């Protein structure tokens, strides 16, 4: 039996495109073979849906899923947001942990995305933090839902590699208590990133705070951090975009931690 | 007189939303006060259009423009692509120069965007290269038009700060002849970025080659470059996205050039 857009399990899965239903159900959707592969490796796939062609082409993935069901092209399209989801979408259990759980593992590099509402930016920070070796990424305050489809896609699987935490804005005390120095990024920061790297300041365990491109970090986080750090601007640009600034800061820490 | 969507000058300006007409006319559109301010500073504004309210609010910009004309809300909306263009759009002369002109100035840092078709990515590379102190950004091969509206917006004014070049893919010889070492980015590169930085290799004048996220650099550019360089991946991510990789590489050079 091939599931259609009217099959109750498809109707239920479609609801996961809405944040409210994701929050209530504790589940989300991962599209495409790469994300499905990562979700299976993380052991969080509840059910896999695919077109018949895709389930044959990705037979290894279909075999690993607890349940794999064939769906019509229409049903697949209804479940996915990308133009070419390559025929697969998985219903997954949400993976986030509490801040205490993430910090108990003693991560030496942490990224905090504070009040970041753009899902593409948030997913890119997640991917970049993972690449730089961060152990945890914290979505703080009124941030985008990490299970938003666009964020999941932009994270390119990193949602399944690092500890993801959802919490309020008041994180600095707990980060510091876990032995992390807390560095807030700001275009007007008193400390220059390259100077901190030269002076060995980045060698210790570090949590980086990143704010939205439009508004920067909330004042309370700037004030609570140990330092306010600016990425030096050598040319005529006023600033870097969020993804670029996060990459430069996180890789400066990764370099200092080698 | 307030221009409407039917006024011939508005009709002519609207055509600049299409690449063919931009190429033919040698002009493009810059939206919003920030871009208009940078375009005025660069001396390339031909004509400024704004709602009456915006022309009053940004009277300093209206005064600097060779011609400033009031337009209806509808006409402004027809000329712009963003949801909140803040009432202003300027017709500008295109600013790109030839590769020889750009290299004659002896830039110590150059970014080459090869076959990058996504305008947001291309604009972000332009902005990041500017911030890192690059003198020129080269759009090589079948790359996006740097005057595409989304690219102009993502560049956040950097289109007006650095030398922008449009050229074919065959750039390596000319770059090397200008005294630049040519470094190709590749996930499989033999050289690790941090090791090059440690060994002082990045201290010299450098051109970085960046390919599209989906396809990487064309084989001919990988082979022609002096080195193939990978950004180290410390976590579970397979790769960085283009904007993040470009930021890490260009800022490694900027650090070595201080």
């Amino acid at each position: 039996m091939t599931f259609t857009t009217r099959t109750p399990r498809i109707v239920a899965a479609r609801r996961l495109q809405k944040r409210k239903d994701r929050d209530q159900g504790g589940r989300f959707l991962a599209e495409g073979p790469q994300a499905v592969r990562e979700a299976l490796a993380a052991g969080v796939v509840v059910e896999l849906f695919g077109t018949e062609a895709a389930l044959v082409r990705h037979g290894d993935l279909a075999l690993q899923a607890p349940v794999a069901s064939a769906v019509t092209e229409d049903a697949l399209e209804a479940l996915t947001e990308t133009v070419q989801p390559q025929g697969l979408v998985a219903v997954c259990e949400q993976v986030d942990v509490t801040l205490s759980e993430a910090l108990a593992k003693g991560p030496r590099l942490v990224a905090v995305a504070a009040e970041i509402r753009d899902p593409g930016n948030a997913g890119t920070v997640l991917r970049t933090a993972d690449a730089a070796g961060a152990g945890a990424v914290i979505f703080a305050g009124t941030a985008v839902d990490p299970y938003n489809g666009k964020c999941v896609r932009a994270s390119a699987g990193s949602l399944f590699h690092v500890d993801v935490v959802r919490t309020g804005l008041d994180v600095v005390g707990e980060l510091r208590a876990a032995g992390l120095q807390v560095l807030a990024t700001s275009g007007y920061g008193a400390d220059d990133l390259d100077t901190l790297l030269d002076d060995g300041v980045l060698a210790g365990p570090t949590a980086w705070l990143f704010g939205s491109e439009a508004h920067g970090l909330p004042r309370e986080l700037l004030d609570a951090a140990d330092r306010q750090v600016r990425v030096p601007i050598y040319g005529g640009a006023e600033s870097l975009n969020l993804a670029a600034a996060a990459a430069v800061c996180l890789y400066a820490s990764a370099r200092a931690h080698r």
Side-chain angles (χ1 to χ4, degrees), chain A residues 172-189:
Chain A
V172 172
E174 207 168 334
L175 292 168
R176 203 179 281 130
L180 295 150
Q181 66 175 333
V182 181
L183 303 182
T185 51
S186 163
Y188 307 99

mmCIF file of all heavy atoms in Angstrom, chain A residues 172-189:
data_model
loop_
_atom_site.group_PDB
_atom_site.id
_atom_site.type_symbol
_atom_site.label_atom_id
_atom_site.label_comp_id
_atom_site.label_asym_id
_atom_site.label_seq_id
_atom_site.Cartn_x
_atom_site.Cartn_y
_atom_site.Cartn_z
ATOM 1 N N VAL A 172 24.794 32.832 30.986
ATOM 2 C CA VAL A 172 26.214 33.132 31.222
ATOM 3 C C VAL A 172 26.722 32.535 32.527
ATOM 4 O O VAL A 172 27.817 31.954 32.573
ATOM 5 C CB VAL A 172 26.472 34.652 31.148
ATOM 6 C CG1 VAL A 172 27.896 34.975 31.579
ATOM 7 C CG2 VAL A 172 26.221 35.158 29.730
ATOM 8 N N GLY A 173 25.911 32.643 33.599
ATOM 9 C CA GLY A 173 26.346 32.118 34.886
ATOM 10 C C GLY A 173 26.641 30.624 34.832
ATOM 11 O O GLY A 173 27.679 30.157 35.315
ATOM 12 N N GLU A 174 25.754 29.889 34.195
ATOM 13 C CA GLU A 174 25.924 28.441 34.127
ATOM 14 C C GLU A 174 27.126 28.064 33.248
ATOM 15 O O GLU A 174 27.851 27.109 33.546
ATOM 16 C CB GLU A 174 24.639 27.786 33.604
ATOM 17 C CG GLU A 174 24.461 26.355 34.095
ATOM 18 C CD GLU A 174 23.062 25.795 33.825
ATOM 19 O OE1 GLU A 174 22.094 26.595 33.727
ATOM 20 O OE2 GLU A 174 22.934 24.577 33.709
ATOM 21 N N LEU A 175 27.342 28.825 32.167
ATOM 22 C CA LEU A 175 28.507 28.565 31.309
ATOM 23 C C LEU A 175 29.798 28.778 32.091
ATOM 24 O O LEU A 175 30.734 27.973 32.030
ATOM 25 C CB LEU A 175 28.484 29.501 30.082
ATOM 26 C CG LEU A 175 27.361 29.256 29.055
ATOM 27 C CD1 LEU A 175 27.274 30.417 28.065
ATOM 28 C CD2 LEU A 175 27.577 27.944 28.311
ATOM 29 N N ARG A 176 29.830 29.879 32.848
ATOM 30 C CA ARG A 176 31.041 30.208 33.597
ATOM 31 C C ARG A 176 31.290 29.181 34.706
ATOM 32 O O ARG A 176 32.432 28.763 34.936
ATOM 33 C CB ARG A 176 30.904 31.620 34.170
ATOM 34 C CG ARG A 176 32.232 32.257 34.473
ATOM 35 C CD ARG A 176 32.070 33.660 35.013
ATOM 36 N NE ARG A 176 31.819 34.630 33.972
ATOM 37 C CZ ARG A 176 30.837 35.526 33.994
ATOM 38 N NH1 ARG A 176 29.976 35.556 34.995
ATOM 39 N NH2 ARG A 176 30.704 36.395 33.024
ATOM 40 N N ALA A 177 30.196 28.750 35.330
ATOM 41 C CA ALA A 177 30.322 27.740 36.394
ATOM 42 C C ALA A 177 30.865 26.423 35.837
ATOM 43 O O ALA A 177 31.466 25.626 36.571
ATOM 44 C CB ALA A 177 28.956 27.515 37.055
ATOM 45 N N ALA A 178 30.680 26.214 34.531
ATOM 46 C CA ALA A 178 31.197 24.991 33.900
ATOM 47 C C ALA A 178 32.633 25.169 33.431
ATOM 48 O O ALA A 178 33.181 24.314 32.737
ATOM 49 C CB ALA A 178 30.303 24.607 32.726
ATOM 50 N N GLY A 179 33.257 26.291 33.813
ATOM 51 C CA GLY A 179 34.670 26.483 33.499
ATOM 52 C C GLY A 179 34.939 27.104 32.140
ATOM 53 O O GLY A 179 36.076 27.106 31.667
ATOM 54 N N LEU A 180 33.894 27.648 31.513
ATOM 55 C CA LEU A 180 34.077 28.286 30.196
ATOM 56 C C LEU A 180 34.226 29.787 30.358
ATOM 57 O O LEU A 180 33.466 30.415 31.107
ATOM 58 C CB LEU A 180 32.860 27.993 29.311
ATOM 59 C CG LEU A 180 32.638 26.527 28.921
ATOM 60 C CD1 LEU A 180 31.150 26.238 28.724
ATOM 61 C CD2 LEU A 180 33.414 26.204 27.638
ATOM 62 N N GLN A 181 35.194 30.388 29.655
ATOM 63 C CA GLN A 181 35.177 31.838 29.578
ATOM 64 C C GLN A 181 34.106 32.206 28.561
ATOM 65 O O GLN A 181 33.887 31.492 27.579
ATOM 66 C CB GLN A 181 36.541 32.409 29.167
ATOM 67 C CG GLN A 181 36.972 32.051 27.764
ATOM 68 C CD GLN A 181 38.274 32.745 27.369
ATOM 69 O OE1 GLN A 181 38.609 33.809 27.872
ATOM 70 N NE2 GLN A 181 39.017 32.121 26.460
ATOM 71 N N VAL A 182 33.423 33.334 28.793
ATOM 72 C CA VAL A 182 32.293 33.703 27.956
ATOM 73 C C VAL A 182 32.653 34.949 27.141
ATOM 74 O O VAL A 182 32.888 36.024 27.699
ATOM 75 C CB VAL A 182 31.035 33.953 28.820
ATOM 76 C CG1 VAL A 182 29.850 34.320 27.936
ATOM 77 C CG2 VAL A 182 30.720 32.705 29.651
ATOM 78 N N LEU A 183 32.724 34.784 25.816
ATOM 79 C CA LEU A 183 33.119 35.877 24.924
ATOM 80 C C LEU A 183 31.927 36.310 24.081
ATOM 81 O O LEU A 183 31.355 35.510 23.338
ATOM 82 C CB LEU A 183 34.263 35.421 24.017
ATOM 83 C CG LEU A 183 35.518 34.901 24.717
ATOM 84 C CD1 LEU A 183 36.592 34.533 23.696
ATOM 85 C CD2 LEU A 183 36.063 35.946 25.709
ATOM 86 N N ALA A 184 31.561 37.573 24.192
ATOM 87 C CA ALA A 184 30.441 38.117 23.424
ATOM 88 C C ALA A 184 30.968 38.792 22.168
ATOM 89 O O ALA A 184 31.914 39.583 22.238
ATOM 90 C CB ALA A 184 29.676 39.127 24.278
ATOM 91 N N THR A 185 30.403 38.472 21.029
ATOM 92 C CA THR A 185 30.824 39.144 19.790
ATOM 93 C C THR A 185 30.073 40.465 19.659
ATOM 94 O O THR A 185 28.879 40.556 19.903
ATOM 95 C CB THR A 185 30.528 38.277 18.566
ATOM 96 O OG1 THR A 185 29.166 37.841 18.620
ATOM 97 C CG2 THR A 185 31.435 37.070 18.523
ATOM 98 N N SER A 186 30.824 41.503 19.271
ATOM 99 C CA SER A 186 30.223 42.819 19.083
ATOM 100 C C SER A 186 31.115 43.627 18.161
ATOM 101 O O SER A 186 32.347 43.615 18.289
ATOM 102 C CB SER A 186 30.095 43.530 20.433
ATOM 103 O OG SER A 186 29.897 44.913 20.225
ATOM 104 N N GLY A 187 30.505 44.332 17.232
ATOM 105 C CA GLY A 187 31.266 45.192 16.326
ATOM 106 C C GLY A 187 32.027 46.275 17.074
ATOM 107 O O GLY A 187 32.984 46.852 16.559
ATOM 108 N N TYR A 188 31.573 46.564 18.321
ATOM 109 C CA TYR A 188 32.207 47.617 19.112
ATOM 110 C C TYR A 188 32.996 47.048 20.282
ATOM 111 O O TYR A 188 33.322 47.760 21.233
ATOM 112 C CB TYR A 188 31.133 48.587 19.623
ATOM 113 C CG TYR A 188 30.258 49.103 18.525
ATOM 114 C CD1 TYR A 188 29.003 48.540 18.283
ATOM 115 C CD2 TYR A 188 30.701 50.124 17.682
ATOM 116 C CE1 TYR A 188 28.201 49.003 17.244
ATOM 117 C CE2 TYR A 188 29.908 50.589 16.650
ATOM 118 C CZ TYR A 188 28.659 50.027 16.432
ATOM 119 O OH TYR A 188 27.886 50.472 15.396
ATOM 120 N N GLY A 189 33.292 45.747 20.235
ATOM 121 C CA GLY A 189 33.983 45.106 21.338
ATOM 122 C C GLY A 189 35.344 45.734 21.618
ATOM 123 O O GLY A 189 36.028 46.182 20.702
#
